Amino acid sequence: MQLTGAEIVIECLKEQGVDTVFGYPGGAILNVYDALYQHQNEIRHILTSHEQGASHAADGYARATGKVGVCLATSGPGATNLVTGIATAYMDSIPIVAITCNVGVPLLGKDSFQEIDISGITMPITKHNFIVKDVEQLADTIRKAFVIAKKGRPGPVLIDIPKDVTSNQAEYEKKEISAVCPLEDLCEEDVETALGLIREAKRPYIFVGGGAVLSNASEELYEFVKKVDAPVCDSLMGKGAFPGTDPLYTGMLGMHGTKTSNYGVSECDLLIVVGARFSDRVTGNAKKFAEHAKILQFDVDVAEMNKNVLITEGVVGDIRVILRRLNERLEQLDHTEWIQKISEYKEKYPLTYHPDLLTGPGAVEEIYRQTHGDALIVTEVGQNQMWAAQYYKFTKPRTLLTSGGLGTMGYGLGASIGAKTARPEKTVVNIAGDGCFRMNMNEIATAARYQIPVIQVVLNNHVLGMVRQWQDLFYGKRYSATVLNDSVDFVKLAEAMGAAGMRATTPEEFREAFAKALTADGPVVIDCQIDSDEKVWPMVAPGEAISKAFDEEDLEAGKKQ
């Protein structure tokens, strides 16, 4: 049947099973929005307050479900406002499809009103992108975009469609979409080499990254850990792939990782890396990272092998397939003595905070208690992000949604709207600092408009907390442009935008406020007043080995390396 390009866009989204899109209309994309109006009972559209909010919402939807998130924007500034969200998804390998519309084909390249080369701008931060100048190519391009977003290492794809293409007509025929399956092929020699290294190890350590989450490999990972009989640490992106309540779990690795994980990895003789890319925030000084160990890396992307850290051996493939293959051949191993040593580290170096005051860690632990560890936790970036990673015990994948690679302040509120839309049965909490909340707090109005009951917890220390922490420790307490001690009232702001607002200054007040928020039928903002000098501990100084992690007690004792 003959359809316009705009109608083809909607039909192709329906083919892909898309039930929700996030976006903001404008002149160039009007035809698509007009077609969407005719299908509003099939595809829900969430009008965000800003296009960046739409891209983060699509990202949050994707992280919470494993499906492809979709966002829409018009030409020019509408398209460029998606860039930060696209880059966020790219750095964390999140599958989203961003659909933008541009000026008509005859006007391209002529500096027309609201014209921008968005495909050129996003080329370095997309897995692939397209500009569709022929309506005959539109349907197949959209289908191809969804396959590319999901296949192998996931990532964002952008489709730019000139306005006249959305009004031109072409023959459309519905196509059934086959599932994108992981590649089963592995190099047999690499698998055998991996098995040999695992069997020979006396002090193995398993380091889990986001790839284990993206490949849905939690069950296979759990079996693998138990067979190897090794302690487990994770990256920020790997949270929940292995249960944070298991006795073998030792916490996060890296700059704000636990001393147990940092010391253990520094002393192991085999580091098994499951879907992690050796970020600088994990390795510290890369030349001193796990320097006594052989490194065995599992990753779907061959480009990650030997990129940041030289490895001993690697297996390239889907994480779930690799672990399943190893589990089939690996006998039960026993490393009782090594695990006992790591357990002693856990007892000696627990995470601690001041319990009598309202603090970031205390608030996170209270959130954990009241949600019974079963919420979707979204974070912003900085101290709030690290406290959430340290003190909330993630037991399932896709329950921590956070900007890991790009570190995007302002990510969390849009992402929490996307997550709650995708998983309405789950409690969704966005943990933010006041600096991050200011970035995109206009999305509270979005949540209020649709009565999306997200809980926004603002750890309000009236400073840019993590930057100030660095200034305090490494810049002689010169607090340049990091003090936010002004008259902004987040409770009044929340109420002005249609949400409920509460303030907490003590642990008891926060406990009561959060309990009320859990029963609310709309968005809630809780303004938590915490101390400006509160810090994230432990910490590794820039350029140091992770074995040099220090905490508040070390600092007071003059032991900081």
Side-chain angles (χ1 to χ4, degrees):
M1 58 181 163
Q2 287 281 318
L3 296 179
T4 67
E7 292 167 334
I8 289 171
V9 170
I10 303 305
E11 291 299 329
C12 286
L13 292 179
K14 288 163 57 180
E15 280 181 6
Q16 299 292 332
V18 174
D19 55 19
T20 307
V21 296
F22 308 88
Y24 206 98
I29 202 171
L30 265 178
N31 291 332
V32 173
Y33 270 83
D34 191 54
L36 182 61
Y37 182 86
Q38 307 300 325
H39 296 270
Q40 58 187 291
N41 293 329
E42 299 165 278
I43 300 177
R44 184 186 187 190
H45 178 270
I46 302 294
L47 175 65
T48 54
S49 298
H50 190 284
E51 290 91 352
Q52 188 182 136
S55 58
H56 292 327
D59 176 297
Y61 183 100
R63 293 189 202 228
T65 62
K67 298 193 291 186
V68 177
V70 179
C71 56
L72 310 176
T74 195
S75 62
T80 58
N81 282 344
L82 295 178
V83 168
T84 298
I86 293 170
T88 299
Y90 181 75
M91 290 292 283
D92 291 342
S93 303
I94 305 304
I96 69 171
V97 169
I99 298 175
T100 58
C101 287
N102 216 321
V103 299
V105 172
L107 296 175
L108 290 172
K110 297 183 179 180
D111 293 333
S112 304
F113 176 68
Q114 289 195 334
E115 179 199 356
I116 201 75
D117 179 13
I118 193 62
S119 61
I121 288 171
T122 59
M123 189 175 294
I125 56 167
T126 51
K127 197 174 173 187
H128 198 82
N129 65 28
F130 303 90
I131 179 166
V132 186
K133 298 180 181 180
D134 181 356
V135 69
E136 299 285 348
Q137 305 297 319
L138 182 56
D140 284 342
T141 299
I142 294 172
R143 293 166 185 144
K144 190 182 298 182
F146 276 82
V147 171
I148 291 171
K150 291 184 288 186
K151 191 173 183 180
R153 182 177 185 171
V157 179
L158 179 132
I159 310 168
D160 193 34
I161 313 170
K163 186 171 183 178
D164 53 348
V165 174
T166 67
S167 60
N168 293 342
Q169 291 193 337
E171 188 68 24
Y172 166 79
E173 182 179 347
K174 182 178 179 179
K175 291 188 178 180
E176 295 295 327
I177 303 300
S178 56
V180 177
C181 299
L183 294 175
E184 296 285 339
D185 294 338
L186 300 176
C187 175
E188 183 61 29
E189 184 178 346
D190 290 345
V191 172
E192 284 298 323
T193 301
L195 286 167
L197 287 173
I198 294 167
R199 288 170 177 143
E200 291 169 5
K202 304 298 183 186
R203 302 186 307 279
Y205 222 110
I206 297 173
F207 170 43
V208 180
V213 174
L214 296 172
S215 63
N216 300 312
S218 293
E219 291 183 10
E220 290 80 2
L221 175 63
Y222 188 83
E223 181 182 350
F224 178 73
V225 168
K226 296 300 179 178
K227 277 196 169 185
V228 176
D229 194 34
V232 180
C233 61
D234 54 21
S235 69
L236 182 67
M237 300 308 301
K239 290 285 174 186
F242 185 81
T245 52
D246 192 279
L248 290 174
Y249 179 71
T250 63
M252 195 164 59
L253 180 69
M255 178 174 284
H256 293 293
T258 63
K259 283 188 174 183
T260 301
S261 293
N262 285 357
Y263 293 170
V265 166
S266 299
E267 296 173 15
C268 72
D269 65 359
L270 176 67
L271 181 62
I272 305 170
V273 184
V274 184
R277 60 183 179 83
F278 297 109
S279 160
D280 58 295
R281 291 299 172 102
V282 161
T283 63
N285 187 327
K287 294 180 180 178
K288 298 179 180 179
F289 178 74
E291 56 186 338
H292 304 298
K294 294 178 180 179
I295 298 178
L296 173 61
Q297 185 177 6
F298 307 149
D299 206 284
V300 73
D301 189 351
V302 68
E304 292 298 339
M305 303 290 181
N306 295 307
K307 185 177 83 174
N308 295 327
V309 169
L310 293 178
I311 64 172
T312 308
E313 299 289 347
V315 182
V316 178
D318 183 85
I319 296 299
R320 191 176 186 184
V321 174
I322 293 171
L323 293 177
R324 190 181 297 153
R325 196 74 55 86
L326 292 172
N327 288 339
E328 290 170 354
R329 306 186 194 184
L330 193 63
E331 65 278 8
Q332 181 62 52
L333 302 176
D334 183 1
H335 299 105
T336 303
E337 187 176 337
W338 169 237
I339 289 172
Q340 178 60 36
K341 181 176 182 180
I342 297 302
S343 296
E344 290 170 2
Y345 278 160
K346 287 176 69 174
E347 292 180 13
K348 186 176 181 181
Y349 302 116
L351 293 172
T352 60
Y353 62 91
H354 301 289
D356 298 331
L357 304 173
L358 180 56
T359 65
V364 172
E365 285 204 334
E366 184 61 33
I367 292 168
Y368 177 77
R369 280 191 291 270
Q370 292 200 32
T371 61
H372 309 290
D374 193 36
L376 297 186
I377 299 298
V378 190
T379 81
E380 299 290 350
V381 171
Q383 290 181 322
N384 64 88
Q385 182 184 42
M386 294 297 101
W387 287 325
Q390 290 175 329
Y391 288 92
Y392 199 96
K393 297 179 177 66
F394 297 93
T395 58
K396 297 176 183 176
R398 303 191 182 282
T399 52
L400 173 63
L401 285 58
T402 190
S403 173
L406 196 64
T408 304
M409 293 176 69
Y411 164 82
L413 188 48
S416 66
I417 290 171
K420 184 64 177 179
T421 304
R423 302 287 305 278
E425 78 285 2
K426 303 292 286 187
T427 297
V428 176
V429 184
N430 182 42
I431 300 173
D434 49 320
C436 291
F437 182 58
R438 289 165 183 255
M439 291 275 184
N440 282 326
M441 61 187 175
N442 50 359
E443 297 304 337
I444 287 291
T446 304
R449 181 186 305 120
Y450 295 99
Q451 281 299 286
I452 300 172
V454 296
I455 301 173
Q456 171 67 66
V457 175
V458 184
L459 302 176
N460 188 357
N461 55 9
H462 301 280
V463 294
L464 299 178
M466 187 61 85
V467 184
R468 178 188 170 93
Q469 177 167 331
W470 280 52
Q471 289 173 334
D472 195 40
L473 295 173
F474 310 119
Y475 287 83
K477 301 183 185 297
R478 295 182 295 276
Y479 303 128
S480 177
T482 53
V483 178
L484 305 175
N485 196 13
D486 51 30
S487 301
V488 176
D489 187 327
F490 291 143
V491 173
K492 289 181 180 179
L493 259 169
E495 293 171 347
M497 287 190 278
M502 293 180 272
R503 183 170 289 109
T505 60
T506 66
E508 293 75 23
E509 288 178 355
F510 179 72
R511 187 179 307 120
E512 293 174 8
F514 193 79
K516 290 180 182 177
L518 284 173
T519 63
D521 56 5
V524 177
V525 176
I526 306 176
D527 178 10
C528 303
Q529 298 286 320
I530 67 172
D531 191 87
S532 298
D533 288 321
E534 190 178 350
K535 293 180 175 60
V536 178
W537 301 115
M539 183 174 188
V540 176
E544 285 287 359
I546 60 172
S547 59
K548 301 294 185 180
F550 65 95
D551 56 23
E552 191 173 21
E553 289 185 6
D554 297 327
L555 197 64
E556 291 173 355
K559 296 179 182 178
K560 183 174 77 68
Q561 301 297 319

